[in-house]
Amino acid sequence: MKKQKLVVVGGGSTYTPGMIMSLIEEKENFPLKSITFYDTDVERQEKVAKACEVILKEKYPELEAFHYTTDKEEAFSNVDFAFVQIRTGGLAMREQDEQISLKHGVVGQETCGPGGMAYGMRSIGDMIELVNDIRSYSPDAWILNYTNPAAIVAEALNRAFPEDKKILNICDMPAAIMVSYASILKREIWDLVPEYFGLNHFGWFTKLYDKEGNDLTDEIKSHILNHGFLPEDSEIVNDPSWIKTFKQVKTMVTDFPEYLPNTYLQYYLYPQEMVDKEDVCNTRGRQVINGREKRVHSLCDQLIENKTTDGAHLEVDIHGCYMIRVAASLAYNNGDTFIVIVKNNGIISNLQDDAMVEVPAQLTNHGPKPFAVGKIPTFYKGLIEGQLAYEKLVVAAFFENDYNKALQALTLNRTVVNAPVAREILDDMIEANRNYWPELNGNLKVKEPASV
């Protein structure tokens, strides 16, 4: 089995130590020759990298090389896989996105609504530059992207690189939900076979089977309705915000029992309720800064100081394992099935072909082979078409520097709807993102005539 050369783009991410633990857990399935970290933030990456060096020395001694760098040529030359997890603007900009939204009485969340648009507009340019850089040094590498907001990023990358068949956009949220399903069923996540359709952070499980073909869907629905639903993945199991989010699934299944929803649908189905729960002074971004970021950096400091993993709380999470098993299926032609983001091309037959949809696909060394979904019911089709139009307009606004398309996007989004509010939010977002967004032109707002 060939050993792979991996670069982790965004090496300073707080998710990176968990990714390293997952690479160690999965090393028999995805053996590595080398790991390189790349980041533009020298100090942040160095802390995480030095901690990961301690972990790898003890738990992955057969790894031939590990290093970290801010040099693109050094990072991207002669690699087999690039795992991309960047956050342009960092958590500080995330918090600002959420505060601006909440100030206007609208959902403040990093990937949904105005926050998703702001984050997406920041991510697109850096993602395009990264793909070009990786391709200049490793033309045949697989680029596995899980940079958020994945739907907008996938739409933009498809527009910028329509012929590149070795870019795959992935989100671990369906897998994190399936971890909870597996707990209910007292099984392993890898024993479950999902049927699913939608857009990223905007989809539904229609069926869930085991590998023998037994339908487990009603058992899961019954458990959710009678006992509720809780997160089980190690990264979010004790997080109060995620616990509330998973509990909201019971409400969604009660109101719309046909399918099992992605947790992010709460923001689109109950936007006012979501706003009412939030605190503009303690947004989700602030909670991450004070929670996961501090925890991971403290862990890194401990590992660096002690030069050992003894006594350190290290966990494998689904975020990493899912990405690695996807990579293994691509590298070794395993043909395993995962939920990934692909161009529609008739998969959902009553949705436009150029939509970037999230569906199950068999992964081979020739790329994803998605399974047909067929026609979807009117309610779900209507929701998806509105969200898809929003995503396409955000991407168009970026590429065409078009203010009015950005305004149309926000007005369409179910978390906003109101055009005057959309304009106020957009203008605030433009001001806040002057160092990140392209300049948007063409504001056609008609001024009131001066009084005579």
Side-chain angles (χ1 to χ4, degrees), residues 191-208:
D191 296 329
L192 304 180
V193 180
E195 291 185 359
Y196 185 95
F197 73 87
L199 310 173
N200 178 243
H201 287 184
F202 204 96
W204 294 263
F205 291 89
T206 58
K207 291 287 184 182
L208 202 75

Side-chain angles (χ1 to χ4, degrees), residues 27-28 40 64 92 178 208 213 220 257 299 306 316 350 370 395 440:
K27 62 183 175 180
E28 297 301 319
T40 57
E64 295 179 28
M178 287 175 63
L208 202 75
I220 295 169
L299 171 65
N306 295 342
V316 176
N350 55 342
V395 173
L440 301 183

Side-chain angles (χ1 to χ4, degrees), residues 181 184-185 192-195 204-210 213-225 253 257-261:
Y181 294 161
I184 290 169
L185 299 165
L192 304 180
V193 180
E195 291 185 359
W204 294 263
F205 291 89
T206 58
K207 291 287 184 182
L208 202 75
Y209 300 96
D210 62 21
N214 298 304
D215 188 345
L216 309 171
T217 317
D218 287 343
E219 183 178 349
I220 295 169
K221 286 182 182 177
S222 177
H223 182 97
I224 291 171
L225 291 171
V253 174
E258 189 172 12
Y259 300 137
L260 291 161

Side-chain angles (χ1 to χ4, degrees), residues 7-11 37-40 69-73 75-76 79 82-88 122-139 141-147 153 157 160-161 164 167:
V7 59
V8 177
V9 183
F37 289 177
Y38 170 81
D39 208 312
T40 57
T69 182
T70 58
D71 181 84
K72 293 177 180 180
E73 183 174 3
F76 303 147
V79 298
F83 290 180
V84 184
Q85 54 176 14
I86 66 169
R87 181 184 287 278
T88 300
R122 290 197 300 272
S123 297
I124 292 171
D126 282 353
M127 281 301 307
I128 291 172
E129 181 180 343
L130 271 171
V131 171
N132 280 322
D133 289 335
I134 293 168
R135 283 288 171 257
S136 68
Y137 298 112
S138 291
W142 280 102
I143 299 174
L144 305 190
N145 172 57
Y146 47 112
T147 295
V153 171
L157 292 183
F161 306 100
D164 194 324
I167 300 173

